[in-house]
Amino acid sequence: MPELPEMENYKRLLTERLVGKTIKGVNITRGKTVNLPIEPFINEVQGRKIVMIDRRAKYLIFKLDSGKNLLLHLMLGGLMYVGNENDSPDRTKQVTLDFGGVQLFFIGLRLGFLHVLTSHKLDEQFNELGPEPLDPQFTLVAFNELMEKRRGLIKTTLVNQKIISGIGNLYSDEICFIAELLPTRTMNELSDQERSKLYTSMQTVLKRGLSLGGYIDLPVFQGDTLTGSYNDHCYVYDREGEPCPRCQHLIIKDEVSSRKTFFCKMCQR
């Protein structure tokens, strides 16, 4: 499932290509992907201009000149591509927005969704989300205050969207690795120094993920060489049986709260 770096990468690249453009056509092949009957959904979207693209946690928000919003969550397997019928990937497309000469394809949204929402409904959707980990106001002091009474595992705490938003399975493992902490440690047993290192590692890993275009395996447009570069730079995620980049012991795959988890048992303590 795309996490903060992937969705922020989408936000930046789509902003460059779509903001200011008018949606001239809408094609929907799966009605369950949208939150209205197909015809009313098209009426809400077609003819509207995208004035801004924003991100909150793992969501992307396309702000329309009508004052309403298109809220996207890709869930597991969802992707986006900007191009045309000649260069678009040969994959099932649930929704296509046509901007006249360029199209935005929403691909693989079997579990994901694209909803038209008022700003009020949008605020309600985000009401229970935790703070953004890369927000300048989310300082070490704020992090320590948030974690002060937490007793859950590091892994489950990091991926809980109600505590911190935007981190998922992949980056939680990468953060634990850089912090040299086992994901099965509990937050309340961490020393001040370990908690500080966890915070710093979170910042480092997420910024690195963004600089490498995240781990999505499909470019956003033809010629996009950035998106997905993190695939080749993971420290431990999906590296079971490979040598740890820090101590050379083999990376282990395990399950933590039903989530696949990768770590080095030797140098993560």
Side-chain angles (χ1 to χ4, degrees), residues 227-244:
T227 301
S229 297
Y230 200 88
N231 282 328
D232 301 322
H233 294 85
C234 289
Y235 296 113
V236 290
Y237 189 81
D238 213 17
R239 299 286 191 259
E240 179 187 13
E242 296 182 21
C244 167

Side-chain angles (χ1 to χ4, degrees), residues 114-132:
L114 185 68
H115 289 178
V116 175
L117 297 176
T118 64
S119 294
H120 177 69
K121 289 293 184 182
L122 193 66
D123 290 340
E124 287 183 354
Q125 182 82 31
F126 298 154
N127 191 44
E128 294 188 353
L129 287 175
E132 290 279 336

Side-chain angles (χ1 to χ4, degrees), residues 10-22 49-54 61-63 99:
Y10 273 133
K11 170 194 162 183
R12 294 181 181 184
L13 295 182
L14 295 181
T15 293
E16 294 173 0
R17 284 158 180 78
L18 300 179
V19 167
K21 294 185 181 295
T22 298
K49 181 185 293 185
I50 294 181
V51 296
M52 182 181 179
I53 301 176
D54 204 355
I61 308 110
F62 298 83
K63 295 184 176 294
F99 295 88

Side-chain angles (χ1 to χ4, degrees), residues 145-264:
E145 289 177 353
L146 186 64
M147 298 299 164
E148 187 176 4
K149 296 181 180 180
R150 297 287 172 188
R151 296 183 175 274
L153 305 180
I154 299 176
K155 171 84 172 185
T156 56
T157 299
L158 289 176
V159 301
N160 188 333
Q161 300 303 292
K162 293 182 179 181
I163 301 175
I164 303 174
S165 62
I167 300 173
N169 215 35
L170 185 151
Y171 292 104
S172 61
D173 286 354
E174 300 285 280
I175 290 165
C176 288
F177 175 76
I178 292 300
E180 300 181 68
L181 297 170
L182 287 170
T184 50
R185 295 275 301 278
T186 56
M187 293 302 303
N188 60 298
E189 70 172 303
L190 299 182
S191 66
D192 290 345
Q193 183 178 3
E194 287 174 324
R195 196 161 52 241
S196 177
K197 192 167 185 179
L198 182 64
Y199 171 81
T200 302
S201 299
M202 178 176 61
Q203 302 285 310
T204 300
V205 166
L206 293 176
K207 290 176 181 177
R208 179 175 183 264
L210 181 54
S211 71
L212 291 169
Y215 68 91
I216 286 178
D217 63 356
L218 180 72
V220 178
F221 54 89
Q222 192 173 46
D224 172 18
T225 58
L226 174 64
T227 301
S229 297
Y230 200 88
N231 282 328
D232 301 322
H233 294 85
C234 289
Y235 296 113
V236 290
Y237 189 81
D238 213 17
R239 299 286 191 259
E240 179 187 13
E242 296 182 21
C244 167
R246 187 163 48 217
C247 73
Q248 301 305 303
H249 281 78
L250 297 185
I251 295 167
I252 294 171
K253 177 184 176 183
D254 203 349
E255 278 199 8
V256 175
S257 298
S258 301
R259 293 174 178 268
K260 65 178 182 179
T261 304
F262 300 87
F263 59 92
C264 174

